[in-house]
Structures are given as structure tokens and as C-alpha cells.
Amino acid sequence: MNSGQPEEQGRPIGRRVLLGTLGLGALGVVAAPTLQRGLESFLGSAADKDPTGLTGLLPNGGGFRYYSVTSSVPHKNASTYRLKIDGLVDRPATYTLSDLRAMPQTRMVKDVQCVTGWRVPGTPFEGVRLSRLLDAAGVRAKATAIRFSCFDGTYTESLTLDQARRADVLVALRMQDKDLGHSHGGPVRLYVAPMYFYKSAKWLSGITVTEDVEPGYWEERGYDVDAWVGKSNGRDDDPTS
């Protein structure tokens, strides 16, 4: 989950767009799947150009809401995307999207729980287990944590090394059985199944192995570093795994 004050001021959505989006959001609750997908695409595009964060409050048929901590995020594709792994490792590496797609993929279906309260049940994610990338890099003995950076230029996240090695933590390439779109953090995002969704950093570009945990964007603003669903942030939601 990425939200907050933008670094740059873009143009807020207008009143007509807002009213139309509200109407579409209500319709999406009962709409056919095709219309729901179109609504998600519309809201994602609107949110990408909306520095007010207002579109993040709007309902839609797919259940997801859209957040960013910057007023705009560059788009990456198979030609331009790179994932860098560095820090306390013996074999730093840079992966293209094709490299990641060629690796063994893990698919899991879990509920997604946002710390703001909304939940999307039974959401498929697919990608490379983070533990596989860490093993390939050769994590050094004094390392205890991971720092994640994103190509929006602002958002960061963190996990302990033990958390990062869990089988339900992915470098995700697909969601809802399709390639990750830009508004959902594509082409590659982190997916931490048992934690609140702000830990699943969108637009992933860097994995840095560190000696100590470095609190991420929202942890620096009061959210829990260990964000287990139902056991953190003062919430009692049902676990997602």
C-alpha cells in the first residue's frame, strides 16, 4: 500500500471525473467481470495522475484501492525493467523481466488485507520465491535483514532475513492470473502474503541485504515494522494465511 503526500504537484481530478468515478464505483459492485476490469483500469489510471489521493477512497468491483506516495510513477516494460540485488551478498545481480519469468514460478491464492480495513479475498499471485533470489546471491553471515526500494523513487520496505525466506513471500510477476499491470505495482512487485499489504511494495526495483532492519516508508510514519495481519497495527483482522 503506497499513499501519502506527493513530492510534486500534479493536476487533481476534476469534479466531473470524481462524480463519474463515484457512479462507476457503485455500479462496479454488481457489474459483470469485464466491466469490473475496465473500472479497475480506469481507477488505476486516474490514481496515477491524482496527487490528492482521492481516488484511493473510491469503491470498485475488484475491491482494490489505488495508492502512491508520489504524483506520478514511471512505466516500465520488458525492455526497460531491471531488478538489482546488492548489499551484503557475494554475488550481486541484476535481473531483467525475462530473467525472472524464466525462473521457476510459485502460485498462491490468499486474501489481501489492507491496514486501512479493506480486504480482497482469494487473490492469486504468482512469481519467484524471494528465498531463491537470496540463495543465488549468496547472503553473507552478518546479514539479518532486507531493504526493498521501488522505481517510484520514494517508497521503501523492509523484512528480516527470516521473514524474507518464508515460502509465502514472492517477487510477484502476476496477479489475478494476468501479468501485473502498472497500477497494481507492475511489472514486478513484492508480495508478503501473511502481512498487511503495505509490506508488499509496488514497482519493485531493488533488494538490498543489510545488517539491520531499516524501517520502510510507512514504518517511519508510525506503522508497525512487523506487520502480521491481525497481530499488529492495533487491528484484529483474520489472518490471510
Side-chain angles (χ1 to χ4, degrees), residues 4-241:
Q5 295 297 319
E7 291 184 328
E8 304 172 3
Q9 289 297 319
R11 185 168 63 183
I13 59 173
R15 182 173 180 273
R16 289 183 180 178
V17 173
L18 171 60
L19 293 177
T21 305
L22 284 169
L24 283 170
L27 179 61
V29 174
V30 295
T34 299
L35 181 55
Q36 291 180 8
R37 289 193 295 269
L39 179 58
E40 284 195 9
S41 177
F42 171 78
L43 286 176
S45 177
D48 195 38
K49 299 175 178 63
D50 173 24
T52 68
L54 188 59
T55 46
L57 303 177
L58 301 177
N60 71 83
F64 285 91
R65 296 180 181 178
Y66 299 87
Y67 305 94
S68 174
V69 299
T70 62
S71 60
S72 64
V73 180
H75 288 241
K76 302 285 185 179
N77 56 36
S79 298
T80 59
Y81 178 78
R82 299 292 184 272
L83 175 62
K84 184 177 182 179
I85 300 180
D86 60 9
L88 298 176
V89 297
D90 294 328
R91 296 176 292 277
T94 299
Y95 293 95
T96 66
L97 191 56
S98 295
D99 292 334
L100 295 171
R101 287 172 174 167
M103 294 180 177
Q105 305 291 301
T106 296
R107 184 179 185 271
M108 61 184 70
V109 181
K110 306 283 187 182
D111 294 353
V112 168
Q113 178 69 52
C114 182
V115 73
T116 61
W118 55 264
R119 175 177 287 228
V120 182
T123 304
F125 279 88
E126 187 174 349
V128 180
R129 281 182 173 153
L130 178 56
S131 60
R132 178 179 293 274
L133 297 177
L134 295 176
D135 289 344
V139 175
R140 294 177 182 170
K142 65 179 180 179
T144 68
I146 314 291
R147 180 181 184 272
F148 304 94
S149 54
C150 307
F151 62 78
D152 68 350
T154 301
Y155 201 76
T156 60
E157 254 309 331
S158 66
L159 291 173
T160 67
L161 191 56
D162 286 344
Q163 291 166 355
R165 289 192 178 280
R166 287 177 58 107
D168 53 5
V169 176
L170 300 180
V171 172
L173 312 179
R174 292 172 61 81
M175 188 184 84
Q176 296 175 316
D177 296 318
K178 55 182 179 287
D179 291 345
L180 269 167
H182 177 77
S183 60
H184 282 300
V188 178
R189 72 177 297 159
L190 186 65
Y191 176 54
V192 186
M195 292 189 177
Y196 285 104
F197 208 34
Y198 66 87
K199 301 295 290 190
S200 298
K202 297 195 289 187
W203 307 303
L204 183 65
S205 62
I207 298 172
T208 301
V209 180
T210 60
E211 192 166 355
D212 299 298
V213 170
E214 299 177 18
Y217 182 92
W218 282 114
E219 285 99 57
E220 291 177 342
R221 291 157 176 79
Y223 283 32
D224 286 355
V225 174
D226 292 321
W228 306 107
V229 172
K231 297 181 180 180
S232 65
N233 295 289
R235 298 188 59 87
D236 60 356
D237 306 286
D238 291 336
T240 54
S241 61

